[in-house]
Amino acid sequence: MHVSRLVAIGDSFTEGYGDVVAGSDAVRGWADLAAVGLATAQGEAIEYANLAVRGRKLAPILDEQLDAAIALRPSHLSINGGGNDILRPRVTIDWVSGQLEAAVHRILDAGIVPVMVSGANPSAVMAGGAVMLRRGDALRDAVRSWADALDVPFVDNWTDVELQHGRFWTDDRLHLNAAGHARAATTFLHALGYDAPEAWEDLVPATTAEGRRDAVYYRTHVLPWIGRRLTGRSSGDGRTAKIALPVEVEPLA
């Protein structure tokens, strides 16, 4: 499946939160890695944009990013969303799945190949994991059903048992670290029929979710998250698209 221009939309997962570029505040993530992997596998540069914004629920993702992504006329458009929705107390899985399916139909109608990407499953390492697992399983099954019916590529990170291990997660237990993003990028490439560069196996995370869920964890990560929910704030407030216009991504030497 040849990819000439890839555009990605979504939330912190697609933005690359948790995979911090050394010596900066910038993040990399699976989508950036996948763009490099595609260029390398195909032996030629591709164009790439990433409109994702951390903290976004599904409705803002579709309202703010989908039209802009389609307007960039990509050959392939990756879409992920709903992870922040299923963290909320009240959510309808049918609504989340239905919104994603409608978005995929819009992408298909525009003559673009949609690539559905599920988020990774943090339920084994996070607080309140049982609820997350139940909702995530239901959303994954719903999306898998219509994605298969539409013959749309589906990158299934959710059921990757290896990726559920603590060594792939940051210490907030909600976001993948560098090694986790590299694994998700590899899964993305496999879904499109490509192998990943071997160098990705050398990525070593600076922090992981291994260890106790102690008071520091709750004070540093859980309580601020609850505070944002109670006040209607988001970690992405004031942020804009990561890469708003396509850039050229060269193959690895």
Side-chain angles (χ1 to χ4, degrees):
M1 183 180 293
H2 187 268
V3 179
S4 57
R5 176 178 288 184
L6 173 66
V7 175
I9 65 174
D11 52 27
S12 59
F13 174 61
T14 299
E15 183 187 346
Y17 190 91
D19 182 10
V20 180
V21 178
S24 74
D25 293 328
V27 295
R28 181 178 50 183
W30 69 264
D32 289 16
L33 289 167
V36 175
L38 286 168
T40 303
Q42 295 178 164
E44 60 184 15
I46 71 165
E47 292 185 313
Y48 166 66
N50 188 328
L51 309 188
V53 179
R54 67 189 64 173
R56 290 294 192 266
K57 294 170 69 177
L58 183 56
I61 289 172
L62 300 181
D63 290 344
E64 300 167 8
Q65 300 175 29
L66 183 57
D67 284 340
I70 291 173
L72 294 177
R73 304 303 306 167
S75 62
H76 294 71
L77 200 166
S78 78
I79 176 170
N80 165 265
N84 287 313
D85 295 80
I86 65 175
L87 282 168
R88 270 48 177 193
R90 297 180 181 85
V91 63
T92 303
I93 298 300
D94 287 345
W95 179 86
V96 176
S97 174
Q99 292 295 301
L100 288 169
E101 183 178 8
V104 164
H105 277 286
R106 287 189 57 199
I107 296 167
L108 287 168
D109 289 345
I112 300 166
V113 177
V115 184
M116 274 304 310
V117 182
S118 73
N121 180 357
S123 63
V125 295
M126 68 177 288
V131 174
M132 184 68 169
L133 178 62
R134 183 173 67 252
R135 292 176 174 179
D137 283 350
L139 180 58
R140 180 267 179 194
D141 290 346
V143 171
R144 168 105 268 176
S145 177
W146 55 254
D148 286 348
L150 294 172
D151 197 24
V152 167
F154 180 61
V155 184
D156 189 1
N157 294 298
W158 185 262
T159 60
D160 183 347
V161 175
E162 180 70 13
L163 193 55
Q164 296 171 27
H165 194 283
R167 67 178 177 273
F168 291 113
W169 297 83
T170 64
D171 53 6
D172 71 3
R173 297 179 171 87
L174 279 175
H175 298 95
L176 295 176
N177 57 27
H181 277 285
R183 186 172 177 88
T186 298
T187 303
F188 183 93
L189 291 172
H190 287 170
L192 297 186
Y194 297 104
D195 291 326
E198 292 182 2
W200 290 3
E201 298 177 0
D202 297 330
L203 286 172
V204 178
T207 58
T208 76
E210 296 180 272
R212 295 182 301 112
R213 298 177 186 174
D214 55 15
V216 174
Y217 162 62
Y218 284 93
R219 184 171 63 249
T220 304
H221 301 294
V222 177
L223 294 180
W225 184 87
I226 293 172
R228 290 195 298 270
R229 301 292 78 75
L230 293 175
T231 58
R233 293 176 291 120
S234 165
S235 59
D237 286 349
R239 302 187 73 91
T240 56
K242 178 181 178 180
I243 306 173
L245 297 174
V247 297
E248 192 169 88
V249 176
E250 297 285 346
L252 292 173

